CSV table of all heavy atoms in Angstrom, one decimal:
chain,number,residue,atom,x,y,z
A,345,GLU,N,13.0,80.6,57.3
A,345,GLU,CA,11.7,81.2,57.5
A,345,GLU,C,11.7,81.6,59.0
A,345,GLU,O,12.0,80.7,59.9
A,345,GLU,CB,10.6,80.3,57.2
A,345,GLU,CG,9.2,80.9,57.5
A,345,GLU,CD,8.0,80.1,57.1
A,345,GLU,OE1,8.2,79.0,56.5
A,345,GLU,OE2,6.9,80.6,57.3
A,347,LEU,N,9.6,82.0,62.3
A,347,LEU,CA,8.3,81.5,62.8
A,347,LEU,C,8.2,81.8,64.3
A,347,LEU,O,9.1,81.6,65.1
A,347,LEU,CB,8.2,80.0,62.6
A,347,LEU,CG,8.0,79.6,61.1
A,347,LEU,CD1,8.5,78.2,60.9
A,347,LEU,CD2,6.6,79.8,60.6
A,404,ASN,N,6.4,85.9,57.6
A,404,ASN,CA,5.0,85.7,57.2
A,404,ASN,C,4.3,87.1,57.2
A,404,ASN,O,4.4,87.9,58.2
A,404,ASN,CB,4.3,84.8,58.1
A,404,ASN,CG,4.8,83.4,57.9
A,404,ASN,OD1,4.5,82.7,56.8
A,404,ASN,ND2,5.7,82.8,58.7
A,436,GLU,N,6.4,86.2,52.9
A,436,GLU,CA,5.5,85.1,52.5
A,436,GLU,C,4.1,85.5,52.7
A,436,GLU,O,3.6,86.0,53.7
A,436,GLU,CB,5.8,83.9,53.4
A,436,GLU,CG,7.2,83.3,53.2
A,436,GLU,CD,7.3,81.9,53.9
A,436,GLU,OE1,6.3,81.3,54.4
A,436,GLU,OE2,8.5,81.4,53.9
A,438,THR,N,0.1,84.2,52.1
A,438,THR,CA,-0.6,83.0,51.8
A,438,THR,C,-1.5,83.1,50.5
A,438,THR,O,-2.0,84.2,50.3
A,438,THR,CB,-1.4,82.6,53.0
A,438,THR,OG1,-2.1,81.3,52.7
A,438,THR,CG2,-2.5,83.6,53.3
A,465,MET,N,4.7,83.1,47.4
A,465,MET,CA,3.3,82.8,47.6
A,465,MET,C,3.3,81.5,48.5
A,465,MET,O,3.7,80.4,48.0
A,465,MET,CB,2.6,82.6,46.3
A,465,MET,CG,1.1,82.5,46.4
A,465,MET,SD,0.4,82.0,44.9
A,465,MET,CE,-0.4,83.5,44.4
A,466,ASP,N,2.8,81.7,49.7
A,466,ASP,CA,2.7,80.6,50.7
A,466,ASP,C,1.5,79.7,50.5
A,466,ASP,O,0.5,80.1,50.0
A,466,ASP,CB,2.7,81.3,52.1
A,466,ASP,CG,3.2,80.4,53.2
A,466,ASP,OD1,3.6,79.2,52.9
A,466,ASP,OD2,3.3,80.9,54.4
A,467,ASP,N,1.6,78.5,51.0
A,467,ASP,CA,0.5,77.5,51.0
A,467,ASP,C,-0.1,77.3,49.7
A,467,ASP,O,-1.3,77.2,49.5
A,467,ASP,CB,-0.6,78.0,52.0
A,467,ASP,CG,0.0,78.4,53.4
A,467,ASP,OD1,0.9,77.7,53.8
A,467,ASP,OD2,-0.5,79.4,53.9
A,468,PHE,N,0.7,77.4,48.6
A,468,PHE,CA,0.2,77.4,47.3
A,468,PHE,C,-0.5,76.0,47.0
A,468,PHE,O,-0.1,74.9,47.4
A,468,PHE,CB,1.3,77.5,46.3
A,468,PHE,CG,0.8,77.6,44.9
A,468,PHE,CD1,0.1,78.7,44.4
A,468,PHE,CD2,0.9,76.5,44.0
A,468,PHE,CE1,-0.5,78.7,43.1
A,468,PHE,CE2,0.4,76.6,42.7
A,468,PHE,CZ,-0.3,77.7,42.3
A,487,LYS,N,5.5,78.6,47.3
A,487,LYS,CA,5.7,77.6,48.3
A,487,LYS,C,4.5,76.6,48.3
A,487,LYS,O,3.4,77.0,48.6
A,487,LYS,CB,5.7,78.2,49.7
A,487,LYS,CG,7.0,78.9,50.0
A,487,LYS,CD,7.1,79.4,51.5
A,487,LYS,CE,7.6,78.2,52.4
A,487,LYS,NZ,7.9,78.7,53.8
A,488,MET,N,4.8,75.4,47.9
A,488,MET,CA,3.8,74.4,47.8
A,488,MET,C,3.2,74.1,49.2
A,488,MET,O,4.0,73.9,50.1
A,488,MET,CB,4.4,73.2,47.1
A,488,MET,CG,3.5,72.1,46.8
A,488,MET,SD,4.4,70.6,46.1
A,488,MET,CE,5.9,71.1,45.5
A,489,ASP,N,1.9,74.0,49.2
A,489,ASP,CA,1.4,73.6,50.6
A,489,ASP,C,1.8,72.3,51.0
A,489,ASP,O,2.0,71.3,50.3
A,489,ASP,CB,-0.1,73.7,50.5
A,489,ASP,CG,-0.7,73.6,51.9
A,489,ASP,OD1,-0.5,74.5,52.8
A,489,ASP,OD2,-1.3,72.5,52.2
A,490,MET,N,2.0,72.2,52.4
A,490,MET,CA,2.5,71.0,53.0
A,490,MET,C,1.8,69.7,52.7
A,490,MET,O,2.3,68.6,52.6
A,490,MET,CB,2.5,71.2,54.5
A,490,MET,CG,3.9,71.3,55.1
A,490,MET,SD,3.8,71.3,56.9
A,490,MET,CE,3.0,72.8,57.2
A,523,GLU,N,7.4,72.5,51.4
A,523,GLU,CA,7.4,72.6,52.8
A,523,GLU,C,7.0,71.3,53.4
A,523,GLU,O,6.4,70.4,52.8
A,523,GLU,CB,6.3,73.6,53.2
A,523,GLU,CG,6.8,75.0,53.4
A,523,GLU,CD,5.7,75.8,54.1
A,523,GLU,OE1,4.6,76.0,53.5
A,523,GLU,OE2,5.8,76.1,55.3
A,524,GLY,N,7.4,71.1,54.7
A,524,GLY,CA,6.9,69.9,55.5
A,524,GLY,C,7.5,68.6,55.0
A,524,GLY,O,6.9,67.6,55.0
A,543,GLN,N,12.1,72.7,52.6
A,543,GLN,CA,12.1,73.1,54.0
A,543,GLN,C,11.3,72.0,54.8
A,543,GLN,O,10.3,71.6,54.3
A,543,GLN,CB,11.3,74.5,54.1
A,543,GLN,CG,11.1,75.0,55.5
A,543,GLN,CD,10.2,76.3,55.4
A,543,GLN,OE1,9.9,76.8,54.4
A,543,GLN,NE2,9.8,76.7,56.6
B,3,CA,CA1,3.1,77.4,54.3
Side-chain angles (χ1 to χ4, degrees):
E345 177 175 5
L347 292 155
N404 288 285
E436 296 193 7
T438 184
M465 190 189 254
D466 204 358
D467 311 318
F468 184 73
K487 284 190 87 171
M488 183 181 341
D489 189 64
M490 252 188 292
E523 265 192 291
Q543 174 184 355

